[in-house]
Amino acid sequence: RKEVEQDPGPFNVPEGATVAFNCTYSNSASQSFFWYRQDCRKEPKLLMSVYSSGNEDGRFTAQLNRASQYISLLIRDSKLSDSATYLCVADNYGQNFVFGPGTRLSVLP
Amino acid sequence: EAGVAQSPRYKIIEKRQSVAFWCNPISGHATLYWYQQILGQGPKLLIQFQNNGVVDDSQLPKDRFSAERLKGVDSTLKIQPAKLEDSAVYLCASSLAAATFSGNTIYFGEGSWLTVV
């Protein structure tokens, strides 16, 4: 079983749509979670950390469900510039970071 | 603040040849990581250094890959001999510390693109 799994995608949505990505992690000891964004042929960049109570940053909302070992990312009012691959990340016993395979999003005009 | 620097950006080699990648982390970052990212997949950790010591190299193919971080700053990753399946982006990253705590995140370099033909 992979340590971090994500929706396979790709997600093709029209501008202005709301889209949600799901992620599950297998290590119940994981404490820190993140969403990274990766543009085509670029390096991953931190989008947001994920906190237990859930957190919001503008159009982006991240939620964590420890009981189900599940993380989500919601993007409201999608923009063309949101087109990218979204990587879910969980820590590995507080030592390093495990990345999921990524979910590709294409926002269409 | 300068980011993570990597070189070369692109490299094409024939199988069985060797290649080396260099990384300079963000100043003050004690932890350095090398990730391998194959097209269409997420980054996979190859090796993690804390200062100049190895913390995790469980996924490093040690028969052909080696890495070092002398003096706890710059690092090099070497592949010898290369195989076709080594074609990937090699991402160097750094963070303040190994232990995860609130606010500790990884910052990536632009990557070194390797094509093995």
Side-chain angles (χ1 to χ4, degrees), chain A residues 34 36 38 43-44 46 91 94-97 99-101, chain B residues 33 35 37 42 45 48 55-56 98-100 106 108-109:
Chain A
F34 309 89
Y36 273 71
Q38 186 171 28
E43 74 275 23
L46 178 66
D91 77 271
Q95 181 168 281
N96 49 50
F97 302 90
F99 284 74
Chain B
Y33 314 81
Y35 281 86
Q37 187 173 26
L45 179 68
Q48 175 188 356
V55 174
D56 185 349
T100 51
I106 318 178
F108 285 89

mmCIF file with all atom_site columns, all heavy atoms in Angstrom, chain A residues 34 36 38 43-44 46 91 94-97 99-101, chain B residues 33 35 37 42 45 48 55-56 98-100 106 108-109:
data_model
loop_
_atom_site.group_PDB
_atom_site.id
_atom_site.type_symbol
_atom_site.label_atom_id
_atom_site.label_alt_id
_atom_site.label_comp_id
_atom_site.label_asym_id
_atom_site.label_entity_id
_atom_site.label_seq_id
_atom_site.pdbx_PDB_ins_code
_atom_site.Cartn_x
_atom_site.Cartn_y
_atom_site.Cartn_z
_atom_site.occupancy
_atom_site.B_iso_or_equiv
_atom_site.pdbx_formal_charge
_atom_site.auth_seq_id
_atom_site.auth_comp_id
_atom_site.auth_asym_id
_atom_site.auth_atom_id
_atom_site.pdbx_PDB_model_num
ATOM 1   N N   . PHE A 1 34  ? 0.693  18.794 4.316   1.00 0.00 ? 34  PHE A N   1
ATOM 2   C CA  . PHE A 1 34  ? 0.814  19.962 3.455   1.00 0.00 ? 34  PHE A CA  1
ATOM 3   C C   . PHE A 1 34  ? 0.192  19.670 2.103   1.00 0.00 ? 34  PHE A C   1
ATOM 4   O O   . PHE A 1 34  ? 0.081  18.517 1.695   1.00 0.00 ? 34  PHE A O   1
ATOM 5   C CB  . PHE A 1 34  ? 2.300  20.314 3.232   1.00 0.00 ? 34  PHE A CB  1
ATOM 6   C CG  . PHE A 1 34  ? 3.112  20.425 4.490   1.00 0.00 ? 34  PHE A CG  1
ATOM 7   C CD1 . PHE A 1 34  ? 3.744  19.318 5.022   1.00 0.00 ? 34  PHE A CD1 1
ATOM 8   C CD2 . PHE A 1 34  ? 3.242  21.643 5.135   1.00 0.00 ? 34  PHE A CD2 1
ATOM 9   C CE1 . PHE A 1 34  ? 4.501  19.414 6.183   1.00 0.00 ? 34  PHE A CE1 1
ATOM 10  C CE2 . PHE A 1 34  ? 3.999  21.755 6.292   1.00 0.00 ? 34  PHE A CE2 1
ATOM 11  C CZ  . PHE A 1 34  ? 4.628  20.638 6.815   1.00 0.00 ? 34  PHE A CZ  1
ATOM 12  N N   . TYR A 1 36  ? 1.231  20.856 -1.746  1.00 0.00 ? 36  TYR A N   1
ATOM 13  C CA  . TYR A 1 36  ? 2.179  21.544 -2.607  1.00 0.00 ? 36  TYR A CA  1
ATOM 14  C C   . TYR A 1 36  ? 1.565  21.654 -4.004  1.00 0.00 ? 36  TYR A C   1
ATOM 15  O O   . TYR A 1 36  ? 0.798  20.800 -4.428  1.00 0.00 ? 36  TYR A O   1
ATOM 16  C CB  . TYR A 1 36  ? 3.500  20.761 -2.698  1.00 0.00 ? 36  TYR A CB  1
ATOM 17  C CG  . TYR A 1 36  ? 4.482  21.089 -1.607  1.00 0.00 ? 36  TYR A CG  1
ATOM 18  C CD1 . TYR A 1 36  ? 4.257  20.687 -0.299  1.00 0.00 ? 36  TYR A CD1 1
ATOM 19  C CD2 . TYR A 1 36  ? 5.645  21.812 -1.890  1.00 0.00 ? 36  TYR A CD2 1
ATOM 20  C CE1 . TYR A 1 36  ? 5.161  20.993 0.709   1.00 0.00 ? 36  TYR A CE1 1
ATOM 21  C CE2 . TYR A 1 36  ? 6.561  22.116 -0.891  1.00 0.00 ? 36  TYR A CE2 1
ATOM 22  C CZ  . TYR A 1 36  ? 6.312  21.698 0.406   1.00 0.00 ? 36  TYR A CZ  1
ATOM 23  O OH  . TYR A 1 36  ? 7.213  22.001 1.391   1.00 0.00 ? 36  TYR A OH  1
ATOM 24  N N   . GLN A 1 38  ? 2.594  22.040 -8.080  1.00 0.00 ? 38  GLN A N   1
ATOM 25  C CA  . GLN A 1 38  ? 3.700  21.884 -9.020  1.00 0.00 ? 38  GLN A CA  1
ATOM 26  C C   . GLN A 1 38  ? 3.219  22.229 -10.422 1.00 0.00 ? 38  GLN A C   1
ATOM 27  O O   . GLN A 1 38  ? 2.354  21.554 -10.983 1.00 0.00 ? 38  GLN A O   1
ATOM 28  C CB  . GLN A 1 38  ? 4.267  20.459 -8.983  1.00 0.00 ? 38  GLN A CB  1
ATOM 29  C CG  . GLN A 1 38  ? 5.514  20.292 -9.848  1.00 0.00 ? 38  GLN A CG  1
ATOM 30  C CD  . GLN A 1 38  ? 6.201  18.952 -9.641  1.00 0.00 ? 38  GLN A CD  1
ATOM 31  O OE1 . GLN A 1 38  ? 5.574  17.960 -9.287  1.00 0.00 ? 38  GLN A OE1 1
ATOM 32  N NE2 . GLN A 1 38  ? 7.520  18.915 -9.835  1.00 0.00 ? 38  GLN A NE2 1
ATOM 33  N N   . GLU A 1 43  ? 9.523  23.067 -10.083 1.00 0.00 ? 43  GLU A N   1
ATOM 34  C CA  . GLU A 1 43  ? 9.638  22.377 -8.816  1.00 0.00 ? 43  GLU A CA  1
ATOM 35  C C   . GLU A 1 43  ? 8.365  22.544 -7.986  1.00 0.00 ? 43  GLU A C   1
ATOM 36  O O   . GLU A 1 43  ? 7.627  23.513 -8.163  1.00 0.00 ? 43  GLU A O   1
ATOM 37  C CB  . GLU A 1 43  ? 10.856 22.901 -8.026  1.00 0.00 ? 43  GLU A CB  1
ATOM 38  C CG  . GLU A 1 43  ? 10.687 24.283 -7.416  1.00 0.00 ? 43  GLU A CG  1
ATOM 39  C CD  . GLU A 1 43  ? 11.002 25.411 -8.373  1.00 0.00 ? 43  GLU A CD  1
ATOM 40  O OE1 . GLU A 1 43  ? 10.949 25.224 -9.618  1.00 0.00 ? 43  GLU A OE1 1
ATOM 41  O OE2 . GLU A 1 43  ? 11.286 26.511 -7.851  1.00 0.00 ? 43  GLU A OE2 1
ATOM 42  N N   . PRO A 1 44  ? 8.100  21.628 -7.047  1.00 0.00 ? 44  PRO A N   1
ATOM 43  C CA  . PRO A 1 44  ? 6.950  21.786 -6.163  1.00 0.00 ? 44  PRO A CA  1
ATOM 44  C C   . PRO A 1 44  ? 7.140  23.001 -5.259  1.00 0.00 ? 44  PRO A C   1
ATOM 45  O O   . PRO A 1 44  ? 8.248  23.280 -4.789  1.00 0.00 ? 44  PRO A O   1
ATOM 46  C CB  . PRO A 1 44  ? 6.959  20.496 -5.330  1.00 0.00 ? 44  PRO A CB  1
ATOM 47  C CG  . PRO A 1 44  ? 7.800  19.532 -6.093  1.00 0.00 ? 44  PRO A CG  1
ATOM 48  C CD  . PRO A 1 44  ? 8.825  20.360 -6.794  1.00 0.00 ? 44  PRO A CD  1
ATOM 49  N N   . LEU A 1 46  ? 5.221  25.107 -1.874  1.00 0.00 ? 46  LEU A N   1
ATOM 50  C CA  . LEU A 1 46  ? 4.235  24.991 -0.810  1.00 0.00 ? 46  LEU A CA  1
ATOM 51  C C   . LEU A 1 46  ? 3.008  25.832 -1.124  1.00 0.00 ? 46  LEU A C   1
ATOM 52  O O   . LEU A 1 46  ? 3.109  27.035 -1.385  1.00 0.00 ? 46  LEU A O   1
ATOM 53  C CB  . LEU A 1 46  ? 4.838  25.433 0.517   1.00 0.00 ? 46  LEU A CB  1
ATOM 54  C CG  . LEU A 1 46  ? 3.890  25.398 1.712   1.00 0.00 ? 46  LEU A CG  1
ATOM 55  C CD1 . LEU A 1 46  ? 3.495  23.958 2.044   1.00 0.00 ? 46  LEU A CD1 1
ATOM 56  C CD2 . LEU A 1 46  ? 4.521  26.081 2.915   1.00 0.00 ? 46  LEU A CD2 1
ATOM 57  N N   . ASP A 1 91  ? 4.136  13.833 6.877   1.00 0.00 ? 91  ASP A N   1
ATOM 58  C CA  . ASP A 1 91  ? 5.466  13.565 7.434   1.00 0.00 ? 91  ASP A CA  1
ATOM 59  C C   . ASP A 1 91  ? 5.602  12.081 7.767   1.00 0.00 ? 91  ASP A C   1
ATOM 60  O O   . ASP A 1 91  ? 4.621  11.378 7.989   1.00 0.00 ? 91  ASP A O   1
ATOM 61  C CB  . ASP A 1 91  ? 5.740  14.419 8.679   1.00 0.00 ? 91  ASP A CB  1
ATOM 62  C CG  . ASP A 1 91  ? 5.026  13.882 9.903   1.00 0.00 ? 91  ASP A CG  1
ATOM 63  O OD1 . ASP A 1 91  ? 3.871  14.278 10.122  1.00 0.00 ? 91  ASP A OD1 1
ATOM 64  O OD2 . ASP A 1 91  ? 5.622  13.068 10.646  1.00 0.00 ? 91  ASP A OD2 1
ATOM 65  N N   . GLY A 1 94  ? 7.885  12.186 11.714  1.00 0.00 ? 94  GLY A N   1
ATOM 66  C CA  . GLY A 1 94  ? 8.523  13.436 12.090  1.00 0.00 ? 94  GLY A CA  1
ATOM 67  C C   . GLY A 1 94  ? 9.920  13.593 11.541  1.00 0.00 ? 94  GLY A C   1
ATOM 68  O O   . GLY A 1 94  ? 10.646 14.499 11.925  1.00 0.00 ? 94  GLY A O   1
ATOM 69  N N   . GLN A 1 95  ? 10.303 12.737 10.618  1.00 0.00 ? 95  GLN A N   1
ATOM 70  C CA  . GLN A 1 95  ? 11.676 12.744 10.131  1.00 0.00 ? 95  GLN A CA  1
ATOM 71  C C   . GLN A 1 95  ? 11.806 13.389 8.757   1.00 0.00 ? 95  GLN A C   1
ATOM 72  O O   . GLN A 1 95  ? 12.695 14.202 8.525   1.00 0.00 ? 95  GLN A O   1
ATOM 73  C CB  . GLN A 1 95  ? 12.181 11.304 10.076  1.00 0.00 ? 95  GLN A CB  1
ATOM 74  C CG  . GLN A 1 95  ? 13.612 11.155 9.604   1.00 0.00 ? 95  GLN A CG  1
ATOM 75  C CD  . GLN A 1 95  ? 14.113 9.749  9.856   1.00 0.00 ? 95  GLN A CD  1
ATOM 76  O OE1 . GLN A 1 95  ? 14.480 9.406  10.961  1.00 0.00 ? 95  GLN A OE1 1
ATOM 77  N NE2 . GLN A 1 95  ? 14.119 8.933  8.819   1.00 0.00 ? 95  GLN A NE2 1
ATOM 78  N N   . ASN A 1 96  ? 10.935 12.993 7.848   1.00 0.00 ? 96  ASN A N   1
ATOM 79  C CA  . ASN A 1 96  ? 10.975 13.579 6.517   1.00 0.00 ? 96  ASN A CA  1
ATOM 80  C C   . ASN A 1 96  ? 9.556  13.599 5.951   1.00 0.00 ? 96  ASN A C   1
ATOM 81  O O   . ASN A 1 96  ? 8.595  13.436 6.696   1.00 0.00 ? 96  ASN A O   1
ATOM 82  C CB  . ASN A 1 96  ? 11.969 12.838 5.618   1.00 0.00 ? 96  ASN A CB  1
ATOM 83  C CG  . ASN A 1 96  ? 11.791 11.340 5.663   1.00 0.00 ? 96  ASN A CG  1
ATOM 84  O OD1 . ASN A 1 96  ? 10.683 10.839 5.500   1.00 0.00 ? 96  ASN A OD1 1
ATOM 85  N ND2 . ASN A 1 96  ? 12.871 10.616 5.917   1.00 0.00 ? 96  ASN A ND2 1
ATOM 86  N N   . PHE A 1 97  ? 9.460  13.811 4.684   1.00 0.00 ? 97  PHE A N   1
ATOM 87  C CA  . PHE A 1 97  ? 8.165  14.083 4.078   1.00 0.00 ? 97  PHE A CA  1
ATOM 88  C C   . PHE A 1 97  ? 7.906  13.110 2.939   1.00 0.00 ? 97  PHE A C   1
ATOM 89  O O   . PHE A 1 97  ? 8.757  12.896 2.090   1.00 0.00 ? 97  PHE A O   1
ATOM 90  C CB  . PHE A 1 97  ? 8.133  15.523 3.557   1.00 0.00 ? 97  PHE A CB  1
ATOM 91  C CG  . PHE A 1 97  ? 8.405  16.543 4.629   1.00 0.00 ? 97  PHE A CG  1
ATOM 92  C CD1 . PHE A 1 97  ? 9.697  16.961 4.886   1.00 0.00 ? 97  PHE A CD1 1
ATOM 93  C CD2 . PHE A 1 97  ? 7.369  17.069 5.375   1.00 0.00 ? 97  PHE A CD2 1
ATOM 94  C CE1 . PHE A 1 97  ? 9.952  17.896 5.875   1.00 0.00 ? 97  PHE A CE1 1
ATOM 95  C CE2 . PHE A 1 97  ? 7.617  18.004 6.362   1.00 0.00 ? 97  PHE A CE2 1
ATOM 96  C CZ  . PHE A 1 97  ? 8.912  18.419 6.621   1.00 0.00 ? 97  PHE A CZ  1
ATOM 97  N N   . PHE A 1 99  ? 5.515  12.258 -0.297  1.00 0.00 ? 99  PHE A N   1
ATOM 98  C CA  . PHE A 1 99  ? 4.643  12.912 -1.263  1.00 0.00 ? 99  PHE A CA  1
ATOM 99  C C   . PHE A 1 99  ? 3.712  11.895 -1.920  1.00 0.00 ? 99  PHE A C   1
ATOM 100 O O   . PHE A 1 99  ? 4.098  10.763 -2.203  1.00 0.00 ? 99  PHE A O   1
ATOM 101 C CB  . PHE A 1 99  ? 5.471  13.575 -2.364  1.00 0.00 ? 99  PHE A CB  1
ATOM 102 C CG  . PHE A 1 99  ? 6.132  14.850 -1.934  1.00 0.00 ? 99  PHE A CG  1
ATOM 103 C CD1 . PHE A 1 99  ? 7.232  14.830 -1.096  1.00 0.00 ? 99  PHE A CD1 1
ATOM 104 C CD2 . PHE A 1 99  ? 5.647  16.069 -2.363  1.00 0.00 ? 99  PHE A CD2 1
ATOM 105 C CE1 . PHE A 1 99  ? 7.846  16.007 -0.686  1.00 0.00 ? 99  PHE A CE1 1
ATOM 106 C CE2 . PHE A 1 99  ? 6.247  17.259 -1.967  1.00 0.00 ? 99  PHE A CE2 1
ATOM 107 C CZ  . PHE A 1 99  ? 7.346  17.231 -1.126  1.00 0.00 ? 99  PHE A CZ  1
ATOM 108 N N   . GLY A 1 100 ? 2.495  12.327 -2.181  1.00 0.00 ? 100 GLY A N   1
ATOM 109 C CA  . GLY A 1 100 ? 1.585  11.527 -2.979  1.00 0.00 ? 100 GLY A CA  1
ATOM 110 C C   . GLY A 1 100 ? 1.925  11.670 -4.453  1.00 0.00 ? 100 GLY A C   1
ATOM 111 O O   . GLY A 1 100 ? 2.788  12.464 -4.822  1.00 0.00 ? 100 GLY A O   1
ATOM 112 N N   . PRO A 1 101 ? 1.239  10.924 -5.313  1.00 0.00 ? 101 PRO A N   1
ATOM 113 C CA  . PRO A 1 101 ? 1.534  10.957 -6.746  1.00 0.00 ? 101 PRO A CA  1
ATOM 114 C C   . PRO A 1 101 ? 1.050  12.211 -7.451  1.00 0.00 ? 101 PRO A C   1
ATOM 115 O O   . PRO A 1 101 ? 1.469  12.492 -8.569  1.00 0.00 ? 101 PRO A O   1
ATOM 116 C CB  . PRO A 1 101 ? 0.792  9.724  -7.277  1.00 0.00 ? 101 PRO A CB  1
ATOM 117 C CG  . PRO A 1 101 ? -0.311 9.513  -6.308  1.00 0.00 ? 101 PRO A CG  1
ATOM 118 C CD  . PRO A 1 101 ? 0.224  9.929  -4.969  1.00 0.00 ? 101 PRO A CD  1
ATOM 119 N N   . TYR B 2 33  ? 17.659 17.235 1.377   1.00 0.00 ? 33  TYR B N   1
ATOM 120 C CA  . TYR B 2 33  ? 17.022 16.045 0.802   1.00 0.00 ? 33  TYR B CA  1
ATOM 121 C C   . TYR B 2 33  ? 17.335 15.979 -0.694  1.00 0.00 ? 33  TYR B C   1
ATOM 122 O O   . TYR B 2 33  ? 17.392 16.996 -1.367  1.00 0.00 ? 33  TYR B O   1
ATOM 123 C CB  . TYR B 2 33  ? 15.502 16.113 0.928   1.00 0.00 ? 33  TYR B CB  1
ATOM 124 C CG  . TYR B 2 33  ? 14.943 16.534 2.263   1.00 0.00 ? 33  TYR B CG  1
ATOM 125 C CD1 . TYR B 2 33  ? 14.876 17.870 2.616   1.00 0.00 ? 33  TYR B CD1 1
ATOM 126 C CD2 . TYR B 2 33  ? 14.427 15.584 3.145   1.00 0.00 ? 33  TYR B CD2 1
ATOM 127 C CE1 . TYR B 2 33  ? 14.330 18.268 3.834   1.00 0.00 ? 33  TYR B CE1 1
ATOM 128 C CE2 . TYR B 2 33  ? 13.877 15.975 4.364   1.00 0.00 ? 33  TYR B CE2 1
ATOM 129 C CZ  . TYR B 2 33  ? 13.836 17.322 4.696   1.00 0.00 ? 33  TYR B CZ  1
ATOM 130 O OH  . TYR B 2 33  ? 13.289 17.705 5.904   1.00 0.00 ? 33  TYR B OH  1
ATOM 131 N N   . TYR B 2 35  ? 15.386 14.157 -3.809  1.00 0.00 ? 35  TYR B N   1
ATOM 132 C CA  . TYR B 2 35  ? 14.206 13.434 -4.261  1.00 0.00 ? 35  TYR B CA  1
ATOM 133 C C   . TYR B 2 35  ? 14.375 13.101 -5.743  1.00 0.00 ? 35  TYR B C   1
ATOM 134 O O   . TYR B 2 35  ? 14.963 13.865 -6.503  1.00 0.00 ? 35  TYR B O   1
ATOM 135 C CB  . TYR B 2 35  ? 12.943 14.281 -4.116  1.00 0.00 ? 35  TYR B CB  1
ATOM 136 C CG  . TYR B 2 35  ? 12.373 14.364 -2.713  1.00 0.00 ? 35  TYR B CG  1
ATOM 137 C CD1 . TYR B 2 35  ? 12.844 15.310 -1.810  1.00 0.00 ? 35  TYR B CD1 1
ATOM 138 C CD2 . TYR B 2 35  ? 11.357 13.509 -2.301  1.00 0.00 ? 35  TYR B CD2 1
ATOM 139 C CE1 . TYR B 2 35  ? 12.311 15.392 -0.534  1.00 0.00 ? 35  TYR B CE1 1
ATOM 140 C CE2 . TYR B 2 35  ? 10.813 13.583 -1.030  1.00 0.00 ? 35  TYR B CE2 1
ATOM 141 C CZ  . TYR B 2 35  ? 11.297 14.532 -0.154  1.00 0.00 ? 35  TYR B CZ  1
ATOM 142 O OH  . TYR B 2 35  ? 10.766 14.610 1.118   1.00 0.00 ? 35  TYR B OH  1
ATOM 143 N N   . GLN B 2 37  ? 12.022 12.395 -9.067  1.00 0.00 ? 37  GLN B N   1
ATOM 144 C CA  . GLN B 2 37  ? 10.654 12.481 -9.574  1.00 0.00 ? 37  GLN B CA  1
ATOM 145 C C   . GLN B 2 37  ? 10.610 12.001 -11.019 1.00 0.00 ? 37  GLN B C   1
ATOM 146 O O   . GLN B 2 37  ? 11.141 12.666 -11.912 1.00 0.00 ? 37  GLN B O   1
ATOM 147 C CB  . GLN B 2 37  ? 10.097 13.894 -9.461  1.00 0.00 ? 37  GLN B CB  1
ATOM 148 C CG  . GLN B 2 37  ? 8.610  13.964 -9.832  1.00 0.00 ? 37  GLN B CG  1
ATOM 149 C CD  . GLN B 2 37  ? 7.987  15.317 -9.565  1.00 0.00 ? 37  GLN B CD  1
ATOM 150 O OE1 . GLN B 2 37  ? 8.655  16.337 -9.557  1.00 0.00 ? 37  GLN B OE1 1
ATOM 151 N NE2 . GLN B 2 37  ? 6.670  15.330 -9.340  1.00 0.00 ? 37  GLN B NE2 1
ATOM 152 N N   . GLY B 2 42  ? 4.842  11.402 -8.067  1.00 0.00 ? 42  GLY B N   1
ATOM 153 C CA  . GLY B 2 42  ? 5.260  12.353 -7.055  1.00 0.00 ? 42  GLY B CA  1
ATOM 154 C C   . GLY B 2 42  ? 6.735  12.167 -6.719  1.00 0.00 ? 42  GLY B C   1
ATOM 155 O O   . GLY B 2 42  ? 7.333  11.141 -7.051  1.00 0.00 ? 42  GLY B O   1
ATOM 156 N N   . LEU B 2 45  ? 11.707 10.217 -1.994  1.00 0.00 ? 45  LEU B N   1
ATOM 157 C CA  . LEU B 2 45  ? 12.923 10.532 -1.251  1.00 0.00 ? 45  LEU B CA  1
ATOM 158 C C   . LEU B 2 45  ? 14.001 9.498  -1.529  1.00 0.00 ? 45  LEU B C   1
ATOM 159 O O   . LEU B 2 45  ? 13.781 8.297  -1.401  1.00 0.00 ? 45  LEU B O   1
ATOM 160 C CB  . LEU B 2 45  ? 12.626 10.566 0.251   1.00 0.00 ? 45  LEU B CB  1
ATOM 161 C CG  . LEU B 2 45  ? 13.817 10.873 1.148   1.00 0.00 ? 45  LEU B CG  1
ATOM 162 C CD1 . LEU B 2 45  ? 14.282 12.319 0.959   1.00 0.00 ? 45  LEU B CD1 1
ATOM 163 C CD2 . LEU B 2 45  ? 13.470 10.634 2.622   1.00 0.00 ? 45  LEU B CD2 1
ATOM 164 N N   . GLN B 2 48  ? 18.321 11.669 2.854   1.00 0.00 ? 48  GLN B N   1
ATOM 165 C CA  . GLN B 2 48  ? 18.153 12.846 3.696   1.00 0.00 ? 48  GLN B CA  1
ATOM 166 C C   . GLN B 2 48  ? 19.384 13.003 4.578   1.00 0.00 ? 48  GLN B C   1
ATOM 167 O O   . GLN B 2 48  ? 19.837 12.046 5.204   1.00 0.00 ? 48  GLN B O   1
ATOM 168 C CB  . GLN B 2 48  ? 16.921 12.677 4.577   1.00 0.00 ? 48  GLN B CB  1
ATOM 169 C CG  . GLN B 2 48  ? 16.699 13.792 5.578   1.00 0.00 ? 48  GLN B CG  1
ATOM 170 C CD  . GLN B 2 48  ? 15.583 13.474 6.552   1.00 0.00 ? 48  GLN B CD  1
ATOM 171 O OE1 . GLN B 2 48  ? 14.922 12.457 6.434   1.00 0.00 ? 48  GLN B OE1 1
ATOM 172 N NE2 . GLN B 2 48  ? 15.383 14.350 7.520   1.00 0.00 ? 48  GLN B NE2 1
ATOM 173 N N   . VAL B 2 55  ? 20.450 10.669 7.531   1.00 0.00 ? 55  VAL B N   1
ATOM 174 C CA  . VAL B 2 55  ? 19.320 10.341 8.391   1.00 0.00 ? 55  VAL B CA  1
ATOM 175 C C   . VAL B 2 55  ? 18.517 9.185  7.806   1.00 0.00 ? 55  VAL B C   1
ATOM 176 O O   . VAL B 2 55  ? 18.081 8.290  8.519   1.00 0.00 ? 55  VAL B O   1
ATOM 177 C CB  . VAL B 2 55  ? 18.415 11.572 8.583   1.00 0.00 ? 55  VAL B CB  1
ATOM 178 C CG1 . VAL B 2 55  ? 17.167 11.207 9.364   1.00 0.00 ? 55  VAL B CG1 1
ATOM 179 C CG2 . VAL B 2 55  ? 19.178 12.697 9.269   1.00 0.00 ? 55  VAL B CG2 1
ATOM 180 N N   . ASP B 2 56  ? 18.302 9.221  6.496   1.00 0.00 ? 56  ASP B N   1
ATOM 181 C CA  . ASP B 2 56  ? 17.479 8.206  5.838   1.00 0.00 ? 56  ASP B CA  1
ATOM 182 C C   . ASP B 2 56  ? 17.976 8.016  4.421   1.00 0.00 ? 56  ASP B C   1
ATOM 183 O O   . ASP B 2 56  ? 17.981 8.969  3.642   1.00 0.00 ? 56  ASP B O   1
ATOM 184 C CB  . ASP B 2 56  ? 16.004 8.649  5.838   1.00 0.00 ? 56  ASP B CB  1
ATOM 185 C CG  . ASP B 2 56  ? 15.058 7.583  5.286   1.00 0.00 ? 56  ASP B CG  1
ATOM 186 O OD1 . ASP B 2 56  ? 15.518 6.579  4.700   1.00 0.00 ? 56  ASP B OD1 1
ATOM 187 O OD2 . ASP B 2 56  ? 13.828 7.762  5.433   1.00 0.00 ? 56  ASP B OD2 1
ATOM 188 N N   . ALA B 2 98  ? 15.110 18.489 10.715  1.00 0.00 ? 98  ALA B N   1
ATOM 189 C CA  . ALA B 2 98  ? 14.553 17.209 10.300  1.00 0.00 ? 98  ALA B CA  1
ATOM 190 C C   . ALA B 2 98  ? 13.200 16.972 10.935  1.00 0.00 ? 98  ALA B C   1
ATOM 191 O O   . ALA B 2 98  ? 12.266 16.552 10.289  1.00 0.00 ? 98  ALA B O   1
ATOM 192 C CB  . ALA B 2 98  ? 15.496 16.074 10.644  1.00 0.00 ? 98  ALA B CB  1
ATOM 193 N N   . ALA B 2 99  ? 13.089 17.233 12.221  1.00 0.00 ? 99  ALA B N   1
ATOM 194 C CA  . ALA B 2 99  ? 11.837 16.956 12.916  1.00 0.00 ? 99  ALA B CA  1
ATOM 195 C C   . ALA B 2 99  ? 10.761 17.909 12.426  1.00 0.00 ? 99  ALA B C   1
ATOM 196 O O   . ALA B 2 99  ? 10.997 19.103 12.293  1.00 0.00 ? 99  ALA B O   1
ATOM 197 C CB  . ALA B 2 99  ? 12.025 17.105 14.415  1.00 0.00 ? 99  ALA B CB  1
ATOM 198 N N   . THR B 2 100 ? 9.600  17.380 12.181  1.00 0.00 ? 100 THR B N   1
ATOM 199 C CA  . THR B 2 100 ? 8.534  18.250 11.699  1.00 0.00 ? 100 THR B CA  1
ATOM 200 C C   . THR B 2 100 ? 7.927  19.009 12.869  1.00 0.00 ? 100 THR B C   1
ATOM 201 O O   . THR B 2 100 ? 7.636  18.460 13.902  1.00 0.00 ? 100 THR B O   1
ATOM 202 C CB  . THR B 2 100 ? 7.443  17.439 11.001  1.00 0.00 ? 100 THR B CB  1
ATOM 203 O OG1 . THR B 2 100 ? 7.049  16.367 11.855  1.00 0.00 ? 100 THR B OG1 1
ATOM 204 C CG2 . THR B 2 100 ? 7.959  16.878 9.701   1.00 0.00 ? 100 THR B CG2 1
ATOM 205 N N   . ILE B 2 106 ? 9.539  22.254 3.435   1.00 0.00 ? 106 ILE B N   1
ATOM 206 C CA  . ILE B 2 106 ? 10.647 21.991 2.522   1.00 0.00 ? 106 ILE B CA  1
ATOM 207 C C   . ILE B 2 106 ? 10.610 22.985 1.377   1.00 0.00 ? 106 ILE B C   1
ATOM 208 O O   . ILE B 2 106 ? 9.542  23.314 0.864   1.00 0.00 ? 106 ILE B O   1
ATOM 209 C CB  . ILE B 2 106 ? 10.528 20.604 1.888   1.00 0.00 ? 106 ILE B CB  1
ATOM 210 C CG1 . ILE B 2 106 ? 10.113 19.553 2.875   1.00 0.00 ? 106 ILE B CG1 1
ATOM 211 C CG2 . ILE B 2 106 ? 11.837 20.196 1.260   1.00 0.00 ? 106 ILE B CG2 1
ATOM 212 C CD1 . ILE B 2 106 ? 9.959  18.212 2.191   1.00 0.00 ? 106 ILE B CD1 1
ATOM 213 N N   . PHE B 2 108 ? 12.252 23.544 -2.430  1.00 0.00 ? 108 PHE B N   1
ATOM 214 C CA  . PHE B 2 108 ? 12.899 22.795 -3.498  1.00 0.00 ? 108 PHE B CA  1
ATOM 215 C C   . PHE B 2 108 ? 13.720 23.690 -4.415  1.00 0.00 ? 108 PHE B C   1
ATOM 216 O O   . PHE B 2 108 ? 13.386 24.859 -4.631  1.00 0.00 ? 108 PHE B O   1
ATOM 217 C CB  . PHE B 2 108 ? 11.847 22.091 -4.361  1.00 0.00 ? 108 PHE B CB  1
ATOM 218 C CG  . PHE B 2 108 ? 11.233 20.888 -3.719  1.00 0.00 ? 108 PHE B CG  1
ATOM 219 C CD1 . PHE B 2 108 ? 10.099 21.015 -2.929  1.00 0.00 ? 108 PHE B CD1 1
ATOM 220 C CD2 . PHE B 2 108 ? 11.780 19.628 -3.915  1.00 0.00 ? 108 PHE B CD2 1
ATOM 221 C CE1 . PHE B 2 108 ? 9.527  19.892 -2.340  1.00 0.00 ? 108 PHE B CE1 1
ATOM 222 C CE2 . PHE B 2 108 ? 11.208 18.505 -3.338  1.00 0.00 ? 108 PHE B CE2 1
ATOM 223 C CZ  . PHE B 2 108 ? 10.089 18.645 -2.545  1.00 0.00 ? 108 PHE B CZ  1
ATOM 224 N N   . GLY B 2 109 ? 14.763 23.099 -4.977  1.00 0.00 ? 109 GLY B N   1
ATOM 225 C CA  . GLY B 2 109 ? 15.463 23.723 -6.091  1.00 0.00 ? 109 GLY B CA  1
ATOM 226 C C   . GLY B 2 109 ? 14.703 23.443 -7.371  1.00 0.00 ? 109 GLY B C   1
ATOM 227 O O   . GLY B 2 109 ? 13.696 22.728 -7.372  1.00 0.00 ? 109 GLY B O   1
#
